[in-house]
Structure formats: C-alpha cells, structure tokens
Amino acid sequence: MEISNYLQIKKKLPSNVNLLAVSKGFSCQEIEIIKNEGQNDFGESRFQEAIEKQLLLKDHENIKWHFIGRIQSNKIRRIVQNFEYIHSVDSYEKLLKISNVSFEEQKNPLIMLQVKLSEDPTKGGFSPEVLIEIWEKIQQFKSIKIKGLMTINPKGLSSTENIKLFKKCRYLADSLKLQDCSMGMSGDWEEAVEAGSTWLRLGSIIFGNRTY
C-alpha cells in the first residue's frame, strides 16, 4: 500500500480534480486504509468482485462506488442498482438500456460517456463525430444524468501525445457543455490534469502492484 503516494498526489491536485481510487484487485482492508485518509470514491471494473466488496463494506455509508469496466448488457440492471457512477458507457444502445432500467429501478446514475479519440482496437467508445450527431437524442433520455466524458489513451504515448489526446476530450466535453472529464490513470495522470481532467482513475500508484 503506497499511502505516501496517495497523500502526495492529493496534495498536488487542484480543487476541481477528483481522485477515484481504482480498487479492483485490492482487498477490503486496503480500501479501508485509504478510506480512513478521507477517500470516498472507489472504482471497480469486475462486477462480481465489486458486489462482494460492497457487501463487506456496507457499514461505510459514505463510500461512492463507480463502475469503470466494460459494460455487459446482461449486467446493466445490477450495475444500475449498485453503482452511483458509471464511467464506461460506450454505445448508444447501452445508454438507452441504462436509461430504461434506471427508470424502472427509480435510480438516477451519473454517467460518463466513453469516447474513442485514437485508433486503438482494444478500446471501445463513441467517436466524437457520432456523439455530436446524436447528442440531442441522448439529452432526451430519462432517469440518467450525463456528467461528462471518459477516455483511455493508448499505452506507449509520449507526454506530448497524451496531453494532445486528453485536450481533445476536454474540448469535446466543453463543446457539449459537460463539466467532467474522467481521464488519466497511474501512468499519465499529470498530463491529464494539465489537459483539464476532473476525475483521475488511479490504482497501482496508490495501492501498489496488483496480484492479478
């Protein structure tokens, strides 16, 4: 557990930048250590693992759970039931289903739309052109609140290349009048902050190396 890293990063962050502790692969005990330092937002990408942790940590009422993994359609109802934020909505079809399920469940999840800003076959997401084209339709969806955009840069980029892609995301969010950009992970968070990120998704830099 790299608690000193966590405290140093928190000290460096501007007041408008939130730290999302990506706790997938780490134990409830490790989550509690960082929770005791004032961390309330935790990100999980494996649904079953996340539900087990939520049950074990249910007495911590002020924990906010964020789903950041790839969304499977058959898991949408349970994601809506159990997560306050969903960072990884990568298609119109999934967004529509989340909206319909949220209405049925009387939930109002906070949504980040995943955008794909470079050619990367391993990543999903809306292209900026498609998102702009269907934006008016998306705004009609009920029982969800679109808070911002999420992006994941390809690995191996230079610092300059990272900043350039992150700025594209920030510009697109601003053009759609969206407040948040969920961008920046353990290897590129400083570039993300420079480019206007409001949510950093940090795992190994604060928890240490995962066992899987």
Side-chain angles (χ1 to χ4, degrees):
M1 185 79 191
E2 307 293 337
I3 199 72
S4 60
N5 282 0
Y6 170 77
L7 295 173
Q8 286 170 15
I9 291 168
K10 282 288 285 184
K11 201 178 291 185
K12 286 182 184 177
L13 294 184
S15 59
N16 68 319
V17 180
N18 304 284
L19 193 159
L20 175 60
V22 178
S23 47
K24 69 168 184 179
F26 299 106
S27 68
C28 289
Q29 289 79 9
E30 289 169 298
I31 291 173
E32 286 184 308
I33 289 170
I34 203 170
K35 173 79 180 66
N36 290 337
E37 296 293 339
Q39 180 66 32
N40 291 322
D41 292 279
F42 292 89
E44 293 282 338
S45 60
R46 296 183 178 95
F47 179 77
Q48 198 54 46
E49 178 188 337
I51 294 304
E52 289 167 11
K53 288 176 182 174
Q54 288 181 6
L55 283 170
L56 290 168
L57 295 166
K58 65 181 186 300
D59 293 338
H60 295 282
E61 292 178 5
N62 54 348
I63 287 184
K64 295 176 184 173
W65 293 102
H66 299 237
F67 190 79
I68 61 172
R70 183 159 288 185
I71 296 167
Q72 297 171 282
S73 291
N74 64 345
K75 295 275 195 338
I76 282 176
R77 186 170 300 276
R78 294 198 68 196
I79 290 170
V80 166
Q81 288 168 339
N82 291 284
F83 291 87
E84 189 169 339
Y85 284 79
I86 308 173
H87 284 239
S88 45
V89 183
D90 61 3
S91 73
Y92 180 88
E93 292 74 25
K94 287 177 189 172
L95 186 64
L96 176 59
K97 186 166 182 180
I98 289 168
S99 171
N100 291 337
V101 168
S102 298
F103 179 76
E104 292 166 8
E105 295 286 339
Q106 298 185 316
K107 295 281 190 178
N108 193 28
L110 304 170
I111 302 291
M112 307 282 188
L113 300 175
Q114 185 170 348
V115 291
K116 186 172 181 174
L117 301 171
S118 64
E119 287 304 316
D120 186 344
T122 66
K123 303 289 187 298
F126 293 89
S127 73
E129 298 76 22
V130 166
L131 186 57
I132 289 166
E133 188 180 317
I134 63 175
W135 183 240
E136 281 190 26
K137 286 167 71 177
I138 285 175
Q139 288 179 292
Q140 307 307 311
F141 286 0
K142 292 180 170 54
S143 299
I144 57 173
K145 182 171 178 57
I146 309 288
K147 286 283 288 175
L149 304 180
M150 184 273 257
T151 196
I152 305 170
N153 280 0
K155 292 179 179 174
L157 299 184
S158 69
S159 180
T160 304
E161 290 167 329
N162 273 323
I163 290 171
K164 188 176 178 182
L165 278 184
F166 287 144
K167 282 186 172 176
K168 272 189 182 180
C169 187
R170 182 70 261 176
Y171 177 80
L172 181 59
D174 290 344
S175 70
L176 299 174
K177 297 183 170 56
L178 293 171
Q179 174 184 341
D180 286 318
C181 279
S182 171
M183 57 187 191
M185 298 191 291
S186 290
D188 55 17
W189 69 270
E190 289 173 297
E191 291 97 325
V193 170
E194 185 176 331
S197 176
T198 59
W199 280 101
L200 300 173
R201 306 183 304 276
L202 303 183
S204 58
I205 197 170
I206 57 174
F207 285 105
N209 292 325
R210 288 185 179 84
T211 53
Y212 63 85

